[in-house]
Amino acid sequence: MAGSRALAASLLLLLLLVRPGLGAPGQGAGTWSRFARLPYPQDQLFLHDTFPDGFLWGAGSAAYQTEGGWRQGGKGPSVWDAFAHRPATPPGAAPTGPVGGDVASDSYNNLFRDLEALRRLGVSHYRFSLSWARLLPNGTAPANPAGLAHYARLLARLRELGVEPVVTLYHWDLPQALQDAFGGWASPVLPRLFRDYAELCFRHFGGQVRYWLTLDNPYVVAWHGYGTGRLPPGLRGGPRLGYRAAHHLLQAHAKVWHLYNDHFRPSQRGKVSIALSSHWIKPQHMTEKNIKECQKSLDFVLGWFAKPIFIDGDYPESMRNNLSSLLPEFSEAEKKYIKGTADFFALSFGATLSFQLLDSHMKFQQLESISLRQLLYWINSEYNKPPIFIVENSWFVSGTTKKDDAKYIYYLKKFIMETLKAVRYDGVNVFGYTVWSLLDGFEWHRGYSIRRGLFYVDFQSHDKKLVPKSSVLFYQKLIEKNGFPPLPENQPIEGIFPCGFAWGVVDNYIQVDTTPAQFLDPSVYVWDVHQTKKLIKVDGVYASRRKRHCVDFAAIRLQVSLLQEMHVTHFHFSLKWSLILPLGNLSLINHTLVHYYQCFASELLRVNITPVVALWQPMIENQELPVSLAKYGAWENTETVQAFVEYARFCFTSLGDHVKFWITMNEPSVKNLTYTAGHNLLKAHAKVWHLYDKEFRTSQKGKISIALHADWVEPACPFSRNDQEVADRILEFDIGWLAEPIFGSGDYPEVMRAWLHRINSVDLYNFHLPYFSEDEKKLIQGSFDFFALSHYTTTLVGSEKEDAVKYDHYLEVQMINDITWLHSPSRAAVVPWGLRKLLKWVKSKYGDVPIYVMANGIDDGQNMVHDKLRVYYIQNYINEALKAYTLDDVNLQGYFFYSFNDKTAPKYGLYSYVANQYEPKPSLKHYREIIGNNGFPGPETPELLCPEEVASCPECHFFQTRKSLLAFISFIFVAFIVTIFFITYYSKRVERRYK
């Protein structure tokens, strides 16, 4: 825990050193280079911390999206009513679903329903908008008493609940009467009319409202309402009309702010701002030109409205320079009037604008992103460090999602975590957060095809009940804890592994080079010193042929020396069945390769490294089976079972004196395995295990098992029973399929049989799991000496279909991505705690079986930056393994890192391989240190005295047991050489004297 806090403190100090000074226009341009310099991967780790005391947590909605009741209580039509009622279906055809926001979530008739949802969440504030057309049906006086009464009831009930109202005066629903009479926001008359409407609201509701928002997302209103026509009122006036509408929106906002400041602030003591929406953009390349284009993109969207209000009353310089006469002019008096008309910065960020309503030309050929943290930092730098209130933020899920909205949760988690980092790391003053939205509603141009609510609404139902989604529980707990406080299980522990713990490294297949050394060539050569200057072979003349020795293989010496540098105790590799027995039987044996393997194993033993050898590992080409077997059904054919037994017998006979740690099959891929093939594969494994147990164990004294691929599977919604059932099902299909018959009951998991029976009876599938005879069950059950597993990552799974590309119809599972997790260049998630959960699961399922993590690793980007990710991976995955051993009492016997080098496993190695040279990566040194410490000892860790273990080496036995005799012989030999030297020396002196 102390180490974790020290890391956080050092990271915070570094971030404080690179903070900017006082903000000024254009200073936000340093954001991109600043974030490019932050330490990796530390800065991208999830931050477990809490928000400042008094932080505001809320939810929001908009009148047109949720209220419905479009003709109830005297409400007048809005531009959205008119826009939604345009004929969109062929004449005479019935609409296929709800039309626009006529009814939507029917909040107008379900006020207490919505308020109960707020109470359940425990929010501190609720953002909602007033419907201008409900309060002033014609856009101007007289007011509608029913509308005033409706919002008065809402405010009164919020006060009873202790929930702070955040009220938006205008959220896109302009009264249609004003559009018809004046042309809407294209008219200079609108700012005055908007002021009159605001005054009505301040007079009637201001005593109960502390936070007012004049307008929501003026970029969308102006650009898509009056420029492109994508949204109401649907005018395609081009850029000129869009910029004119924006001009009037800014003037309207300023008028309302001054109205409140001059006449209502002294008595009501509230605050007024404008809700500005923005995207985030990142440069295609970190060049000065691309960064300037990113800055321009933000100027054209956010700065268009933010700079006049927060800086100097005028538009950004980049807009002035690029738009010429298209952009209206402010007089000096107007600039002074607009400047400073916001009491805080109200930010909207998420699915409304990002990747949806942002005009593609305003990206300026750069890349859109969803980094809220960097946007907050940019605003802080660009606009003089204003207090920021996030008044709208979230993502969306499919319109078919009902309860388990995992995708929504993980986006929410990302955005809130980035806000926390902006507060804690970057010094940004964010004082509140508003999730969007409280309940499902009409989603503007996307209608009902997506959902953004915490509460589900069945739009086809009459009563419109609210059903809490999983995100309700997530957000509820987040509010209770005021963020993501550190949890004990997230903290690293100190401690060491037991004596004899196996520290290893993996290479799928060792580098085989059987090229004979020059010393094995019996030919005689002469040197042509006069002409060619080369060696010339003498025909018909041969020297005596000497016996081949292991030292003749240079490739073995190199690989063993590299392994010695790592200080590992074990080395795991696989044999190549297809090369040892090319025909699949003993009629043709590659003796040279067998000798190579013998030499490799003996050389490992010579330097006290235990070889761990797999008989078979499937690869892409022919599954690494002999061609004759692959050609005739591979594992579908029962003859492959017997062939594997004979191959194993040969390997035990040939290599058994050197190998005491066997794997029958290494990581058989269940993703590509038919049920028949898996059935035969299990029988083959069991027969080989019994073969070794009966015929070889007594003499060779080794151990043998199977190694299974075992990534952890986590329910995407931790509160969902359905998601938990899906996760359990996937674990049984991915791991239990092969593990349960061997380590459990002798038969397949009951979950598999029940599921296949269900889908075969309901659907058109015909997947049948074979049955074992009683004798076969007895043969397979218990055919292990240990549980070997390969683990690389963790997967999230859900029950509700969200993304067709990542949905498995066969198992009815949706793959989900937690975007707050670290990911490797190949997008593999780095989730250390998944290993601990997996080890606990194995223990709970199969008892106190000895466990070896036979492979665990991550890819890199072939540079030192990404090797830092591997350092983090090694440190934290091994620490989670230590937790499993120490805290969970898992019988963990060893850990192997994948992989040895980049030559045989590109991007995964601890050694890089460039220009025929092996170079150790920094992660190798880190792994070696952990091995040297046997874990993570701390000041209070008791010292563990382990007897030195020496690997068994048959060839070395003579020398190891006769060390004293060898020392005496060596002494006699040296003395003899010295005596001969002196005799020769003095003899020559005597001869010279007599001459």
Side-chain angles (χ1 to χ4, degrees):
M1 186 178 292
S4 177
R5 287 175 177 167
L7 175 63
S10 61
L11 179 58
L12 180 58
L13 178 61
L14 178 60
L15 293 165
L16 289 170
L17 291 174
V18 293
R19 282 186 189 170
L22 187 64
Q27 195 164 344
T31 301
W32 292 276
S33 58
R34 188 254 188 187
F35 278 88
R37 297 194 307 269
L38 294 181
Y40 177 86
Q42 288 80 5
D43 182 64
Q44 294 187 22
L45 298 177
F46 192 87
L47 174 60
H48 289 277
D49 203 344
T50 56
F51 285 85
D53 292 340
F55 191 83
L56 301 178
W57 294 104
S61 67
Y64 185 76
Q65 291 186 281
T66 60
E67 273 189 1
W70 79 286
R71 290 189 295 189
Q72 283 183 261
K75 177 186 175 292
S78 72
V79 291
W80 264 99
D81 291 322
F83 192 78
H85 293 157
R86 296 176 307 168
T89 55
T96 56
V99 177
D102 290 2
V103 179
S105 318
D106 202 20
S107 290
Y108 182 76
N109 296 303
N110 291 278
L111 197 64
F112 289 94
R113 175 203 67 178
D114 295 358
L115 291 164
E116 175 58 24
L118 290 168
R119 187 199 62 77
R120 178 169 182 169
L121 281 173
V123 294
S124 57
H125 71 272
Y126 176 47
R127 181 193 170 192
F128 63 93
S129 73
L130 305 174
S131 170
W132 190 345
R134 190 176 296 283
L135 291 171
L136 298 172
N138 295 316
T140 58
N144 175 20
L148 292 170
H150 171 75
Y151 292 118
R153 285 195 302 273
L154 172 57
L155 288 167
R157 181 59 179 149
L158 287 173
R159 188 172 187 175
E160 291 175 13
L161 291 175
V163 175
E164 188 81 54
V166 178
V167 181
T168 308
L169 292 170
Y170 177 73
H171 203 128
W172 306 8
D173 49 353
L174 184 73
Q176 182 63 34
L178 299 183
Q179 184 65 39
D180 294 338
F182 303 104
W185 291 107
S187 169
V189 175
L190 258 289
R192 177 179 59 81
L193 299 177
F194 184 60
R195 180 195 178 282
D196 295 342
Y197 160 60
E199 184 173 5
L200 172 75
C201 297
F202 293 155
R203 289 193 186 280
H204 280 271
F205 311 126
Q208 300 178 69
V209 179
R210 282 202 309 155
Y211 294 100
W212 289 97
L213 300 172
T214 57
L215 308 165
D216 181 87
N217 203 338
Y219 167 86
V220 168
V221 175
W223 192 254
H224 292 301
Y226 294 84
T228 68
R230 288 185 64 187
L231 299 178
L235 300 181
R236 298 180 181 177
R240 187 177 298 277
L241 190 60
Y243 290 125
R244 188 196 308 168
H247 203 69
H248 297 149
L249 285 163
L250 277 166
Q251 290 171 330
H253 159 76
K255 280 183 179 292
V256 170
W257 186 89
H258 282 286
L259 168 69
Y260 189 85
N261 192 59
D262 296 342
H263 301 285
F264 295 96
R265 192 188 301 274
S267 60
Q268 296 180 1
R269 302 181 184 280
K271 296 182 179 181
V272 180
S273 190
I274 180 173
L276 299 180
S277 186
S278 185
H279 62 306
W280 182 247
I281 198 89
K282 62 182 182 180
Q284 289 211 36
H285 306 286
M286 282 298 292
T287 63
E288 185 177 349
K289 178 183 177 183
N290 282 180
I291 289 174
K292 284 183 178 179
E293 294 297 281
C294 288
Q295 180 77 7
K296 188 193 300 183
S297 176
L298 292 174
D299 282 345
F300 269 64
V301 179
L302 180 57
W304 184 4
F305 301 93
K307 183 173 174 288
I309 294 170
F310 290 92
I311 299 297
D312 59 6
D314 201 4
Y315 298 115
E317 197 64 32
S318 60
M319 294 184 75
R320 286 266 175 232
N321 294 337
N322 283 271
L323 298 175
S324 184
S325 61
L326 284 176
L327 204 59
E329 296 277 351
F330 287 118
S331 67
E332 290 304 316
E334 286 177 321
K335 290 178 184 177
K336 291 179 182 178
Y337 191 72
I338 293 172
K339 177 183 175 181
T341 55
D343 301 322
F344 55 92
F345 198 112
L347 176 65
S348 170
F349 182 79
T352 301
L353 181 66
S354 295
F355 296 96
Q356 283 296 314
L357 293 175
L358 175 65
D359 191 286
S360 60
H361 295 98
M362 294 185 183
K363 297 179 187 179
F364 296 100
Q365 299 181 331
Q366 304 310 306
L367 305 173
E368 197 171 355
S369 173
I370 55 169
S371 176
L372 176 55
R373 178 187 174 189
Q374 294 187 46
L375 175 61
L376 290 169
Y377 185 85
W378 185 88
I379 292 169
N380 187 66
S381 304
E382 189 80 4
Y383 301 121
N384 294 323
K385 301 185 177 180
I388 300 174
F389 193 173
I390 298 173
V391 294
E392 176 183 345
N393 177 239
S394 75
W395 208 242
F396 63 89
V397 291
S398 165
T400 60
T401 299
K402 293 183 178 179
K403 187 176 180 182
D404 296 328
D405 53 344
K407 174 185 171 184
Y408 186 91
I409 288 175
Y410 289 110
Y411 271 93
L412 212 58
K413 181 181 173 186
K414 169 187 168 63
F415 290 137
I416 295 172
M417 187 267 290
E418 289 195 345
T419 303
L420 180 61
K421 284 186 176 180
V423 172
R424 294 301 187 192
Y425 288 167
D426 308 328
V428 180
N429 181 12
V430 183
F431 66 89
Y433 179 89
T434 312
V435 68
W436 201 268
S437 63
L438 175 64
L439 67 167
D440 291 334
F442 175 74
E443 290 300 332
W444 308 119
H445 62 296
R446 303 184 73 174
Y448 296 96
S449 65
I450 64 169
R451 294 176 180 269
R452 296 184 68 192
L454 295 170
F455 287 85
Y456 171 80
V457 177
D458 182 354
F459 298 111
Q460 304 286 357
S461 68
H462 175 70
D463 54 9
K464 303 289 190 297
K465 287 183 179 178
L466 295 190
V467 179
K469 301 178 190 175
S470 293
S471 53
V472 167
L473 292 170
F474 170 80
Y475 195 50
Q476 190 180 53
K477 291 184 179 297
L478 184 77
I479 293 172
E480 288 176 3
K481 298 176 181 178
N482 198 31
F484 308 100
L487 300 172
E489 58 265 31
N490 295 331
Q491 305 304 314
I493 67 167
E494 295 176 344
I496 55 177
F497 290 94
C499 289
F501 190 79
W503 291 104
V505 69
V506 188
D507 204 352
N508 286 337
Y509 296 103
I510 59 174
Q511 179 188 347
V512 175
D513 183 359
T514 57
T515 304
Q518 63 186 41
F519 306 107
L520 297 177
D521 188 354
S523 301
V524 176
Y525 300 84
V526 295
W527 192 0
D528 185 359
V529 297
H530 299 294
Q531 296 182 4
T532 64
K533 309 291 185 182
K534 296 180 179 179
L535 291 173
I536 300 174
K537 184 178 180 180
V538 179
D539 293 333
V541 179
Y542 298 97
S544 58
R545 185 187 298 270
R546 73 167 177 81
K547 185 180 178 182
R548 185 187 297 266
H549 298 293
C550 290
V551 292
D552 294 326
F553 297 118
I556 292 179
R557 295 199 305 273
L558 174 60
Q559 291 177 83
V560 171
S561 66
L562 293 174
L563 289 167
Q564 280 184 282
E565 285 295 312
M566 299 174 71
H567 296 179
V568 293
T569 62
H570 291 65
F571 178 53
H572 173 31
F573 64 93
S574 299
L575 303 177
K576 286 201 170 188
W577 183 6
S578 63
L579 297 182
I580 294 175
L581 302 180
L583 300 181
N585 54 49
L586 299 178
S587 63
L588 180 62
I589 301 171
N590 188 337
H591 290 287
T592 302
L593 181 59
V594 172
H595 178 64
Y596 187 92
Y597 284 134
Q598 290 171 337
C599 287
F600 197 100
S602 65
E603 287 299 298
L604 287 173
L605 292 170
R606 187 178 60 81
V607 295
N608 286 333
I609 296 176
T610 300
V612 181
V613 180
L615 294 170
W616 173 71
Q617 176 167 334
M619 298 298 282
I620 295 176
E621 187 176 357
N622 292 328
Q623 301 182 54
E624 194 42 55
L625 295 171
V627 175
S628 59
L629 297 176
K631 188 176 179 181
Y632 294 102
W635 289 108
E636 297 272 341
N637 191 338
T638 55
E639 292 185 7
T640 304
V641 175
Q642 192 55 39
F644 185 65
V645 174
E646 293 307 312
Y647 160 65
R649 184 191 301 276
F650 174 77
C651 292
F652 295 152
T653 303
S654 304
L655 302 172
D657 289 340
H658 305 87
V659 179
K660 311 300 179 185
F661 200 142
W662 289 99
I663 301 294
T664 55
M665 299 159 176
N666 193 52
E667 295 187 47
S669 175
V670 296
K671 303 295 184 186
N672 303 315
L673 205 62
T674 66
Y675 292 129
T676 300
H679 201 68
N680 289 333
L681 190 145
L682 282 166
K683 289 190 285 187
H685 154 78
K687 287 185 176 183
V688 167
W689 186 89
H690 283 283
L691 169 69
Y692 189 84
D693 189 55
K694 293 176 181 177
E695 299 184 23
F696 296 94
R697 190 188 299 275
T698 302
S699 60
Q700 296 182 0
K701 295 180 171 52
K703 54 188 175 183
I704 184 169
S705 196
I706 188 172
L708 302 176
H709 186 115
D711 286 336
W712 180 242
V713 180
E714 184 79 0
C717 292
F719 321 106
S720 167
R721 182 179 299 175
N722 291 337
D723 283 10
Q724 184 63 61
E725 288 177 359
V726 170
D728 292 342
R729 179 161 69 245
I730 300 305
L731 284 170
E732 294 294 0
F733 270 82
D734 283 0
I735 306 173
W737 178 5
L738 299 180
E740 180 63 25
I742 297 170
F743 300 93
S745 63
D747 200 357
Y748 297 113
E750 188 57 38
V751 170
M752 284 186 73
R753 288 212 183 274
W755 181 259
L756 292 175
H757 176 74
R758 187 183 81 82
I759 65 169
N760 286 338
S761 62
V762 174
D763 300 316
L764 298 178
Y765 295 109
N766 188 25
F767 297 113
H768 293 287
L769 206 54
Y771 286 88
F772 293 113
S773 67
E774 289 303 315
D775 288 341
E776 287 173 335
K777 288 181 183 179
K778 292 177 182 178
L779 177 78
I780 296 170
Q781 185 180 23
S783 58
F784 68 91
D785 296 331
F786 50 88
F787 195 115
L789 60 90
S790 300
H791 174 84
Y792 303 96
T793 188
T794 290
T795 304
L796 291 171
V797 296
S799 57
E800 296 215 27
K801 184 177 180 180
E802 176 66 36
D803 181 354
V805 176
K806 297 181 179 179
Y807 186 78
D808 185 333
H809 291 272
Y810 170 52
L811 292 175
E812 295 182 9
V813 56
Q814 177 70 61
M815 302 300 173
I816 301 289
N817 181 32
D818 184 340
I819 55 178
T820 66
W821 287 349
L822 279 175
H823 288 83
S824 73
S826 70
R827 303 305 299 160
V830 179
V831 193
W833 51 259
L835 175 58
R836 181 184 177 188
K837 286 197 171 188
L838 173 69
L839 294 172
K840 289 171 66 177
W841 182 84
V842 171
K843 180 184 177 182
S844 68
K845 288 279 291 182
Y846 306 118
D848 193 32
V849 57
I851 302 174
Y852 288 86
V853 178
M854 295 304 298
N856 177 236
I858 194 76
D859 62 292
D860 62 28
Q862 299 285 30
N863 60 55
M864 292 306 169
V865 172
H866 287 105
D867 194 60
K868 292 179 181 178
L869 179 62
R870 182 178 286 106
V871 171
Y872 171 83
Y873 186 99
I874 291 172
Q875 173 80 15
N876 287 276
Y877 270 84
I878 296 178
N879 197 265
E880 291 295 323
L882 181 63
K883 290 178 188 178
Y885 168 72
T886 305
L887 305 178
D888 307 325
D889 202 26
V890 172
N891 187 6
L892 187 62
Q893 303 271 318
Y895 172 90
F896 291 68
F897 190 76
Y898 180 84
S899 88
F900 179 21
N901 63 74
D902 283 345
K903 183 176 182 181
T904 51
K907 300 183 180 181
Y908 281 85
L910 291 170
Y911 282 98
S912 63
Y913 185 75
V914 180
N916 296 323
Q917 294 291 322
Y918 292 95
E919 292 293 335
K921 299 178 184 178
S923 50
L924 185 150
K925 179 182 178 183
H926 190 70
Y927 186 40
R928 186 167 58 199
E929 288 175 358
I930 294 174
I931 294 173
N933 292 324
N934 199 30
F936 307 92
E940 299 180 3
T941 303
E943 186 176 359
L944 186 66
L945 298 175
C946 299
E948 184 177 349
E949 292 189 11
V950 179
S952 174
C953 173
E955 287 85 352
C956 305
H957 183 71
F958 175 87
F959 301 100
Q960 291 172 349
T961 57
R962 295 170 173 80
K963 290 182 179 178
S964 299
L965 176 62
L966 289 172
F968 177 73
I969 293 173
S970 299
F971 172 77
I972 296 298
F973 179 74
V974 171
F976 175 76
I977 294 298
V978 170
T979 303
I980 294 298
F981 170 78
F982 279 114
I983 291 173
T984 304
Y985 174 76
Y986 283 108
S987 296
K988 289 183 178 179
R989 288 188 62 181
V990 169
E991 288 178 5
R992 283 199 297 271
R993 184 182 302 171
Y994 281 103
K995 286 180 180 180

PDB file of all heavy atoms in Angstrom, residues 639-650:
ATOM      1  N   GLU A 639      -7.873 -42.731 -34.708  1.00  0.00           N
ATOM      2  CA  GLU A 639      -6.512 -43.234 -34.924  1.00  0.00           C
ATOM      3  C   GLU A 639      -5.461 -42.241 -34.437  1.00  0.00           C
ATOM      4  O   GLU A 639      -4.345 -42.628 -34.087  1.00  0.00           O
ATOM      5  CB  GLU A 639      -6.297 -43.538 -36.414  1.00  0.00           C
ATOM      6  CG  GLU A 639      -7.114 -44.723 -36.918  1.00  0.00           C
ATOM      7  CD  GLU A 639      -6.798 -45.076 -38.355  1.00  0.00           C
ATOM      8  OE1 GLU A 639      -5.848 -44.470 -38.905  1.00  0.00           O
ATOM      9  OE2 GLU A 639      -7.496 -45.938 -38.912  1.00  0.00           O
ATOM     10  N   THR A 640      -5.818 -40.960 -34.409  1.00  0.00           N
ATOM     11  CA  THR A 640      -4.886 -39.953 -33.904  1.00  0.00           C
ATOM     12  C   THR A 640      -4.621 -40.167 -32.427  1.00  0.00           C
ATOM     13  O   THR A 640      -3.524 -39.892 -31.935  1.00  0.00           O
ATOM     14  CB  THR A 640      -5.453 -38.531 -34.150  1.00  0.00           C
ATOM     15  OG1 THR A 640      -5.725 -38.378 -35.531  1.00  0.00           O
ATOM     16  CG2 THR A 640      -4.471 -37.464 -33.702  1.00  0.00           C
ATOM     17  N   VAL A 641      -5.618 -40.687 -31.715  1.00  0.00           N
ATOM     18  CA  VAL A 641      -5.447 -40.953 -30.283  1.00  0.00           C
ATOM     19  C   VAL A 641      -4.338 -41.972 -30.074  1.00  0.00           C
ATOM     20  O   VAL A 641      -3.416 -41.765 -29.282  1.00  0.00           O
ATOM     21  CB  VAL A 641      -6.772 -41.452 -29.662  1.00  0.00           C
ATOM     22  CG1 VAL A 641      -6.562 -41.852 -28.200  1.00  0.00           C
ATOM     23  CG2 VAL A 641      -7.851 -40.392 -29.778  1.00  0.00           C
ATOM     24  N   GLN A 642      -4.407 -43.085 -30.795  1.00  0.00           N
ATOM     25  CA  GLN A 642      -3.403 -44.125 -30.628  1.00  0.00           C
ATOM     26  C   GLN A 642      -2.050 -43.664 -31.128  1.00  0.00           C
ATOM     27  O   GLN A 642      -1.006 -43.986 -30.541  1.00  0.00           O
ATOM     28  CB  GLN A 642      -3.841 -45.396 -31.373  1.00  0.00           C
ATOM     29  CG  GLN A 642      -3.000 -46.618 -31.030  1.00  0.00           C
ATOM     30  CD  GLN A 642      -2.946 -46.900 -29.540  1.00  0.00           C
ATOM     31  OE1 GLN A 642      -3.949 -46.753 -28.825  1.00  0.00           O
ATOM     32  NE2 GLN A 642      -1.762 -47.273 -29.049  1.00  0.00           N
ATOM     33  N   ALA A 643      -2.050 -42.885 -32.215  1.00  0.00           N
ATOM     34  CA  ALA A 643      -0.787 -42.352 -32.739  1.00  0.00           C
ATOM     35  C   ALA A 643      -0.117 -41.454 -31.698  1.00  0.00           C
ATOM     36  O   ALA A 643       1.115 -41.461 -31.546  1.00  0.00           O
ATOM     37  CB  ALA A 643      -1.040 -41.579 -34.032  1.00  0.00           C
ATOM     38  N   PHE A 644      -0.919 -40.671 -30.983  1.00  0.00           N
ATOM     39  CA  PHE A 644      -0.369 -39.784 -29.961  1.00  0.00           C
ATOM     40  C   PHE A 644       0.228 -40.601 -28.812  1.00  0.00           C
ATOM     41  O   PHE A 644       1.276 -40.232 -28.259  1.00  0.00           O
ATOM     42  CB  PHE A 644      -1.470 -38.856 -29.441  1.00  0.00           C
ATOM     43  CG  PHE A 644      -0.988 -37.820 -28.463  1.00  0.00           C
ATOM     44  CD1 PHE A 644      -0.099 -36.829 -28.845  1.00  0.00           C
ATOM     45  CD2 PHE A 644      -1.421 -37.832 -27.138  1.00  0.00           C
ATOM     46  CE1 PHE A 644       0.351 -35.865 -27.939  1.00  0.00           C
ATOM     47  CE2 PHE A 644      -0.984 -36.882 -26.231  1.00  0.00           C
ATOM     48  CZ  PHE A 644      -0.100 -35.893 -26.629  1.00  0.00           C
ATOM     49  N   VAL A 645      -0.412 -41.703 -28.457  1.00  0.00           N
ATOM     50  CA  VAL A 645       0.108 -42.553 -27.380  1.00  0.00           C
ATOM     51  C   VAL A 645       1.467 -43.136 -27.770  1.00  0.00           C
ATOM     52  O   VAL A 645       2.419 -43.141 -26.967  1.00  0.00           O
ATOM     53  CB  VAL A 645      -0.889 -43.679 -27.047  1.00  0.00           C
ATOM     54  CG1 VAL A 645      -0.284 -44.655 -26.035  1.00  0.00           C
ATOM     55  CG2 VAL A 645      -2.196 -43.094 -26.520  1.00  0.00           C
ATOM     56  N   GLU A 646       1.586 -43.620 -29.009  1.00  0.00           N
ATOM     57  CA  GLU A 646       2.861 -44.181 -29.463  1.00  0.00           C
ATOM     58  C   GLU A 646       3.940 -43.104 -29.548  1.00  0.00           C
ATOM     59  O   GLU A 646       5.105 -43.348 -29.208  1.00  0.00           O
ATOM     60  CB  GLU A 646       2.671 -44.849 -30.826  1.00  0.00           C
ATOM     61  CG  GLU A 646       1.785 -46.087 -30.784  1.00  0.00           C
ATOM     62  CD  GLU A 646       2.279 -47.089 -29.744  1.00  0.00           C
ATOM     63  OE1 GLU A 646       3.499 -47.381 -29.725  1.00  0.00           O
ATOM     64  OE2 GLU A 646       1.445 -47.561 -28.934  1.00  0.00           O
ATOM     65  N   TYR A 647       3.554 -41.921 -29.989  1.00  0.00           N
ATOM     66  CA  TYR A 647       4.500 -40.796 -30.047  1.00  0.00           C
ATOM     67  C   TYR A 647       4.970 -40.444 -28.639  1.00  0.00           C
ATOM     68  O   TYR A 647       6.165 -40.214 -28.400  1.00  0.00           O
ATOM     69  CB  TYR A 647       3.814 -39.605 -30.719  1.00  0.00           C
ATOM     70  CG  TYR A 647       4.433 -38.257 -30.455  1.00  0.00           C
ATOM     71  CD1 TYR A 647       5.724 -37.957 -30.902  1.00  0.00           C
ATOM     72  CD2 TYR A 647       3.718 -37.269 -29.782  1.00  0.00           C
ATOM     73  CE1 TYR A 647       6.275 -36.712 -30.670  1.00  0.00           C
ATOM     74  CE2 TYR A 647       4.263 -36.017 -29.551  1.00  0.00           C
ATOM     75  CZ  TYR A 647       5.547 -35.740 -29.985  1.00  0.00           C
ATOM     76  OH  TYR A 647       6.093 -34.506 -29.759  1.00  0.00           O
ATOM     77  N   ALA A 648       4.038 -40.414 -27.680  1.00  0.00           N
ATOM     78  CA  ALA A 648       4.405 -40.095 -26.304  1.00  0.00           C
ATOM     79  C   ALA A 648       5.349 -41.154 -25.734  1.00  0.00           C
ATOM     80  O   ALA A 648       6.326 -40.824 -25.047  1.00  0.00           O
ATOM     81  CB  ALA A 648       3.142 -39.992 -25.445  1.00  0.00           C
ATOM     82  N   ARG A 649       5.063 -42.438 -26.030  1.00  0.00           N
ATOM     83  CA  ARG A 649       5.940 -43.508 -25.551  1.00  0.00           C
ATOM     84  C   ARG A 649       7.357 -43.304 -26.068  1.00  0.00           C
ATOM     85  O   ARG A 649       8.342 -43.451 -25.332  1.00  0.00           O
ATOM     86  CB  ARG A 649       5.396 -44.865 -25.987  1.00  0.00           C
ATOM     87  CG  ARG A 649       6.205 -46.061 -25.458  1.00  0.00           C
ATOM     88  CD  ARG A 649       5.785 -47.356 -26.139  1.00  0.00           C
ATOM     89  NE  ARG A 649       4.365 -47.625 -25.921  1.00  0.00           N
ATOM     90  CZ  ARG A 649       3.886 -48.228 -24.833  1.00  0.00           C
ATOM     91  NH1 ARG A 649       4.704 -48.630 -23.891  1.00  0.00           N
ATOM     92  NH2 ARG A 649       2.591 -48.437 -24.716  1.00  0.00           N
ATOM     93  N   PHE A 650       7.463 -42.956 -27.336  1.00  0.00           N
ATOM     94  CA  PHE A 650       8.785 -42.716 -27.926  1.00  0.00           C
ATOM     95  C   PHE A 650       9.488 -41.551 -27.220  1.00  0.00           C
ATOM     96  O   PHE A 650      10.688 -41.617 -26.915  1.00  0.00           O
ATOM     97  CB  PHE A 650       8.645 -42.429 -29.422  1.00  0.00           C
ATOM     98  CG  PHE A 650       9.937 -42.025 -30.075  1.00  0.00           C
ATOM     99  CD1 PHE A 650      10.909 -42.970 -30.380  1.00  0.00           C
ATOM    100  CD2 PHE A 650      10.197 -40.693 -30.363  1.00  0.00           C
ATOM    101  CE1 PHE A 650      12.109 -42.596 -30.961  1.00  0.00           C
ATOM    102  CE2 PHE A 650      11.387 -40.308 -30.955  1.00  0.00           C
ATOM    103  CZ  PHE A 650      12.357 -41.266 -31.257  1.00  0.00           C
TER     104      PHE A 650
END
